[in-house]
Amino acid sequence: MKDMKILSPMATGNGAYIVHRSLAERIDGYTLTGYNPYWSLCPPTLPSLFRDQKADIIHTVPEYGYFLKRNHIPLVVTFHSFVVDRETAQFSTFLQKIHHRTNLHFFIRKALSVADKVTSVSHFTAGMIRREFGYQGEIPVIYNGVDTEKFRPAKKSASHKITVLFSGNLTKRKGAHLLPKIASLLNEKIEILYTSGLRDKNPLPDLPNMRNIGHIPFSQMPAVYQQADILLFPSVREGFGLAAAEAMACGLPVVATNCSSLPELVVDGQGGYLCELGNTEEFAGRINELAESPLMRRDMGDFNRIRVEKNFTLAQMVAGYLNLFREVHKS
């Protein structure tokens, strides 16, 4: 791989950028080049940002992959999420709905037509690609990986409170709008801590048992998970669910939505609970149940740690992409 140059142009400020940064840190010849998301407002200008960078393979996301394609250089696009279908539209803003169903839908279709290899971070997302676009080509699934040396269980200090963590952007797609209602149904001594994510400026309404801990740099996230007791993940659509996998690696039980890719991560009843989409009473009930049982939290956390070590490690992800790049480079 030392003689192979892989260029990864990516917009900053999202989970996919973090994943590609992990690849750049561990694969020789892999160069991640970030650009301000505002450049995507005029996609035809994107090639000008990378014109002088040489590459044997270009690896990026499908939304703007078509514009980054170069003659005679293989293009690999990885679907980290899928938001252009009608089901997701109900959780998008008016402008997002228009953009997703028109420009973005068209751009993704064009990327699929020129990509040399299409990959996905979950079987759910791969299925959505086939369903929405009728794509008939191979779609290898390479799960996102967690650094299990950094994200690992740690001994917690004794506390009379149960800490429930929400990690993600404060959007409807992440289920952030459900947090106040869930918080209102929790037993005493249970507190929800929530991050402000990578893009958010406005916190949720103030409640006695909800606390905004702000934007947490990725390097500090292991410590945040390690101090929590439960991860709350009421997302309405996930391409993979990296926050859930990170929390699982840190030995937390996960209370998540039974939708999209999340059943591929969370085993209901063994690593946590999968709840009906939008059912705040069920989310709160499961959290209350876990809060009353330290033994259940420990057993589910242990199960999750083992599950991540078997299925969702950084080493497995890197090996998957290395094999893919070698295959593409030889063809």
Side-chain angles (χ1 to χ4, degrees), residues 220-239:
Q220 297 178 21
M221 281 306 299
V224 175
Y225 289 118
Q226 288 164 354
Q227 293 305 309
D229 298 295
I230 301 165
L231 181 79
L232 171 60
F233 207 57
S235 181
V236 301
R237 172 58 63 84
E238 287 295 325

Side-chain angles (χ1 to χ4, degrees), residues 154-175:
K155 189 174 182 179
K156 297 180 178 65
S157 56
S159 174
H160 68 286
K161 278 192 173 182
I162 295 295
T163 300
V164 178
L165 176 66
F166 172 91
S167 176
N169 291 316
L170 302 180
T171 62
K172 282 189 174 181
R173 200 176 304 145
K174 290 292 184 181

Side-chain angles (χ1 to χ4, degrees), residues 13 15-16 75 85 91 98 111 134 161 178 209 228 249 261 302 305 328-329:
L75 172 67
D85 58 299
F91 303 105
I98 295 174
K161 278 192 173 182
L178 303 174
N209 61 344
S261 61
D302 290 347
R305 174 67 185 184
V328 170
H329 190 56

Side-chain angles (χ1 to χ4, degrees), residues 82 84-87 101 105 109 127-135:
F82 198 96
V84 296
D85 58 299
R86 297 188 185 279
E87 289 89 342
R101 293 300 298 173
H105 200 279
R109 186 176 292 279
M128 291 298 296
I129 298 165
R130 297 195 188 284
R131 194 187 85 178
E132 186 69 25
F133 293 101
Y135 185 75

Side-chain angles (χ1 to χ4, degrees), residues 20 54 87 97 115 130 132 162 188 216 240 253 263 284 315 321:
H20 285 238
K54 295 182 179 180
E87 289 89 342
K97 291 177 185 178
R130 297 195 188 284
E132 186 69 25
I162 295 295
E188 291 184 34
I216 308 295
F240 174 72
Y321 282 107

Side-chain angles (χ1 to χ4, degrees), residues 265-302:
L265 277 78
V266 181
V267 179
D268 188 41
Q270 292 183 274
Y273 293 110
L274 295 172
C275 301
E276 180 186 13
L277 176 66
N279 190 333
T280 53
E281 289 80 7
E282 186 178 8
F283 277 105
R286 290 304 193 182
I287 292 171
N288 288 333
E289 181 181 341
L290 286 169
E292 293 297 320
S293 177
L295 179 60
M296 186 182 297
R297 295 198 304 272
R298 187 199 68 189
D299 288 347
M300 287 184 167
D302 290 347

Side-chain angles (χ1 to χ4, degrees), residues 25-331:
E25 291 170 350
R26 291 162 177 83
I27 296 178
D28 290 334
Y30 192 109
T31 301
L32 172 64
T33 305
Y35 61 86
N36 190 302
Y38 284 112
W39 279 96
S40 61
L41 294 175
C42 188
T45 64
L46 290 176
S48 65
L49 302 176
F50 315 104
R51 185 172 291 124
D52 297 331
Q53 293 183 265
K54 295 182 179 180
D56 298 303
I57 296 173
I58 295 173
H59 180 214
T60 188
V61 290
E63 287 81 356
Y64 305 105
Y66 174 75
F67 300 97
L68 297 166
K69 171 70 175 177
R70 298 182 188 176
N71 290 335
H72 311 301
I73 297 179
L75 172 67
V76 177
V77 295
T78 295
F79 280 78
H80 292 272
S81 62
F82 198 96
V83 298
V84 296
D85 58 299
R86 297 188 185 279
E87 289 89 342
T88 311
Q90 60 184 306
F91 303 105
S92 305
T93 67
F94 177 71
L95 291 177
Q96 284 175 333
K97 291 177 185 178
I98 295 174
H99 175 53
H100 291 169
R101 293 300 298 173
T102 55
N103 293 351
L104 204 60
H105 200 279
F106 176 74
F107 294 161
I108 292 174
R109 186 176 292 279
K110 294 292 288 182
L112 287 171
S113 70
V114 299
D116 296 88
K117 185 69 71 172
V118 176
T119 75
S120 170
V121 296
S122 68
H123 292 283
F124 166 80
T125 302
M128 291 298 296
I129 298 165
R130 297 195 188 284
R131 194 187 85 178
E132 186 69 25
F133 293 101
Y135 185 75
Q136 297 299 313
E138 181 188 13
I139 308 177
V141 172
I142 303 175
Y143 284 125
N144 289 339
V146 178
D147 186 339
T148 52
E149 291 300 312
K150 293 179 179 178
F151 292 88
R152 60 185 305 113
K155 189 174 182 179
K156 297 180 178 65
S157 56
S159 174
H160 68 286
K161 278 192 173 182
I162 295 295
T163 300
V164 178
L165 176 66
F166 172 91
S167 176
N169 291 316
L170 302 180
T171 62
K172 282 189 174 181
R173 200 176 304 145
K174 290 292 184 181
H177 62 295
L178 303 174
L179 295 186
K181 179 61 176 177
I182 293 172
S184 72
L185 298 170
L186 296 179
N187 296 338
E188 291 184 34
K189 299 182 180 180
I190 302 176
E191 181 181 38
I192 294 178
L193 303 185
Y194 65 95
T195 66
S196 59
L198 295 168
R199 301 175 182 173
D200 306 300
K201 297 179 180 179
N202 299 315
L204 295 169
D206 289 330
L207 288 175
N209 61 344
M210 280 181 57
R211 180 154 56 95
N212 181 6
I213 58 175
H215 169 62
I216 308 295
F218 181 71
S219 61
Q220 297 178 21
M221 281 306 299
V224 175
Y225 289 118
Q226 288 164 354
Q227 293 305 309
D229 298 295
I230 301 165
L231 181 79
L232 171 60
F233 207 57
S235 181
V236 301
R237 172 58 63 84
E238 287 295 325
F240 174 72
L242 189 58
E246 290 168 349
M248 290 166 63
C250 291
L252 297 187
V254 177
V255 179
T257 311
N258 188 13
C259 73
S260 60
S261 61
L262 294 177
E264 295 180 47
L265 277 78
V266 181
V267 179
D268 188 41
Q270 292 183 274
Y273 293 110
L274 295 172
C275 301
E276 180 186 13
L277 176 66
N279 190 333
T280 53
E281 289 80 7
E282 186 178 8
F283 277 105
R286 290 304 193 182
I287 292 171
N288 288 333
E289 181 181 341
L290 286 169
E292 293 297 320
S293 177
L295 179 60
M296 186 182 297
R297 295 198 304 272
R298 187 199 68 189
D299 288 347
M300 287 184 167
D302 290 347
F303 176 89
N304 282 340
R305 174 67 185 184
I306 293 171
R307 181 162 171 77
V308 169
E309 290 175 334
K310 287 184 177 179
N311 301 287
F312 308 115
T313 67
L314 201 54
Q316 289 169 313
M317 179 186 78
V318 170
Y321 282 107
L322 271 173
N323 291 335
L324 182 81
F325 295 144
R326 287 173 179 141
E327 176 186 337
V328 170
H329 190 56
K330 289 179 181 177
S331 61

